[in-house]
Amino acid sequence: MILITGGLGYIGSHTVVKLLEQNKEIIILDNLYNSKIEVLDNIVKITNKKPKFYQTDLLDINGLEEIFQQNHIDCVIHFAGLKAVGESVAEPLKYFNNNITGTINLLITMQKYNCKKIIFSSSATVYGTAETMPLDENSPLGVTNPYGRTKLVIEEMLNDLYESDNEFGIVLLRYFNPIGAHKSGLIGENPNGIPNNLMPYICKVAKGELPQLNVFGNDYDTVDGTGVRDYIHVEDLAEGHVLSYNKIKSTKGIYTYNLGTGNGYSVLQVINAFERANNLKINYKIVDRRPGDVATVYADTNKAEDELGFKAIYGIEDMCRDSWNVHKIDS
Ligand code: NAD
Ligand code: UFG
């Protein structure tokens, strides 16, 4: 049985669908802080399967223990966490408590019940302000905000845990920029309020809910002066978790992989791709750089390809089409 923490969230729900489609036995844990119970209904609509769901907070260690008592869990895919960079700067303790304490509770409970397989959602943010591209798994690490610090600390904790007990099988997945959605449009990313990230913002502009996109700077040393990122379809990302699970279900060790496409796209290229894919115009304006942003980030994907057999298959226009599909259905 695989326990999926944060399984009703954006990336978790897509991974749940893939695992159910492969007839894996799973349980979802989520406190619904950043997701809605309707996601569970939509998972059922897509897969015709109804996974067991616990509305439990990782900070509630007794609640966690009940789940491990009631089920034979042999692997955890750990998505649950808070992820808003700006909020983490304003409220670091909230982030340290939720992400780090939550993970410690999870690991203590896993160890107590002899569950020694875990796949952890890390982020390319652990590469800090590294400037040599592409980023491979040995690129220098660093943090630029409390959210990033939680990811790095948890990676380090998992390394220490493995050192203490070589029976563990651990995969640290460093995601680049996940966008896109399931082709049904039934699950996806639709944050409340004003989004921080590019694709949700573009969708709100396309929908007429926001007047225009602010493009943060056009004086970077990039193809057209705007920031370049490695956008990856959430369906590819979900597949990366299935491959990681297949690897560690029978292997011990600790492994770190980038999950990206290896291709960088500028903000203007993403806007163009979105317009082409959806036959829409996006109103935008160039404004000042956003503090903390770097010019270019993209992944070296060789290690994930060699060791997991992972290769992203979706292109930027697919990602733009599927991101918009969720909003179209929603409106
Ligand atoms: P999300 O917010 O959509 O999903 C996270 C889920 O975890 C939510 O459903 C939330 O309710 C739940 N959750 C949070 N704290 C919890 C707690 N204490 N107990 C139980 N449930 C809790 O986020 P996502 O985009 O799906 O991201 C999943 C993971 O991937 C996160 O750890 C995030 O930091 C990491 N990540 C995301 C991105 C990205 O751009 N989306 C990039 C890199 C890494
Ligand atoms: N951008 C705009 N306008 C917007 C939003 C973003 O021009 O309204 C630009 C940014 O300047 C950047 C690019 O679009 O050049 C992508 O920005 P996002 O905010 O979508 O993504 P980031 O790469 O800045 O951040 C993401 C995650 C973080 C994670 C980081 C590093 O959101 O959680 O990648 O992996 F820490």
Side-chain angles (χ1 to χ4, degrees), residues 80-322:
L82 302 177
K83 61 168 183 176
V85 174
E87 186 186 51
S88 81
V89 175
E91 296 182 74
L93 296 178
K94 178 173 167 183
Y95 275 67
F96 297 152
N97 194 37
N98 191 78
N99 293 7
I100 299 177
T101 311
T103 302
I104 292 173
N105 285 345
L106 176 66
L107 295 173
I108 289 174
T109 312
M110 285 173 64
Q111 201 165 38
K112 188 163 171 187
Y113 286 83
N114 206 30
C115 171
K116 295 191 175 182
K117 307 278 178 198
I118 182 166
I119 298 168
F120 171 61
S121 300
S122 189
S123 164
T125 194
V126 299
Y127 294 117
T129 52
E131 279 178 2
T132 313
M133 296 295 144
L135 294 165
D136 69 31
E137 289 78 356
N138 294 318
S139 294
L141 302 179
V143 292
T144 54
N145 57 66
Y147 164 71
R149 192 176 308 284
T150 68
K151 293 295 173 194
L152 195 54
V153 166
I154 295 168
E155 285 200 5
E156 287 168 345
M157 282 177 3
L158 288 166
N159 273 292
D160 289 342
L161 183 63
Y162 179 73
E163 281 307 311
S164 76
D165 181 351
N166 291 171
E167 294 295 307
F168 269 90
I170 300 173
V171 180
L172 310 176
L173 295 177
R174 294 179 179 156
Y175 314 153
F176 282 68
N177 289 52
I179 59 172
H182 189 265
K183 60 182 179 325
S184 65
L186 289 169
I187 52 174
E189 187 181 32
N190 198 355
N192 293 328
I194 299 181
N196 294 304
N197 298 118
L198 181 63
M199 187 51 71
Y201 207 112
I202 291 179
C203 289
K204 294 238 174 191
V205 173
K207 226 169 158 181
E209 289 179 6
L210 291 169
Q212 70 183 12
L213 170 73
N214 293 318
V215 174
F216 297 138
N218 67 348
D219 56 352
Y220 288 107
D221 182 15
T222 61
V223 57
D224 55 24
T226 64
V228 167
R229 296 291 183 274
D230 185 341
Y231 298 93
I232 175 166
H233 199 298
V234 66
E235 287 280 274
D236 279 328
L237 208 55
E239 183 63 23
H241 292 77
V242 175
L243 295 170
S244 300
Y245 171 72
N246 290 340
K247 178 174 177 89
I248 53 155
K249 68 177 181 219
S250 53
T251 327
K252 296 161 190 170
I254 182 159
Y255 308 91
T256 304
Y257 300 111
N258 286 339
L259 290 184
T261 64
N263 303 311
Y265 289 94
S266 74
V267 177
L268 295 182
Q269 287 172 330
V270 174
I271 295 171
N272 281 333
F274 190 93
E275 292 182 334
R276 274 197 312 274
N278 300 312
N279 206 15
L280 282 165
K281 271 317 239 191
I282 297 298
N283 206 7
Y284 72 87
K285 182 172 99 182
I286 308 287
V287 299
D288 286 347
R289 289 180 177 194
R290 182 170 66 176
D293 274 358
V294 294
T296 302
V297 180
Y298 62 96
D300 181 322
T301 57
N302 287 322
K303 190 173 174 211
E305 187 171 352
D306 292 348
E307 296 185 18
L308 291 177
F310 174 78
K311 194 148 179 61
I313 57 173
Y314 292 97
I316 192 73
E317 288 194 28
D318 302 319
M319 301 184 216
C320 291
R321 183 198 57 224
D322 293 342

Side-chain angles (χ1 to χ4, degrees), residues 1-18:
M1 193 83 93
I2 311 170
L3 175 67
I4 320 281
T5 78
L8 295 188
Y10 173 46
I11 305 167
S13 58
H14 288 82
T15 305
V16 162
V17 165
K18 278 221 188 292

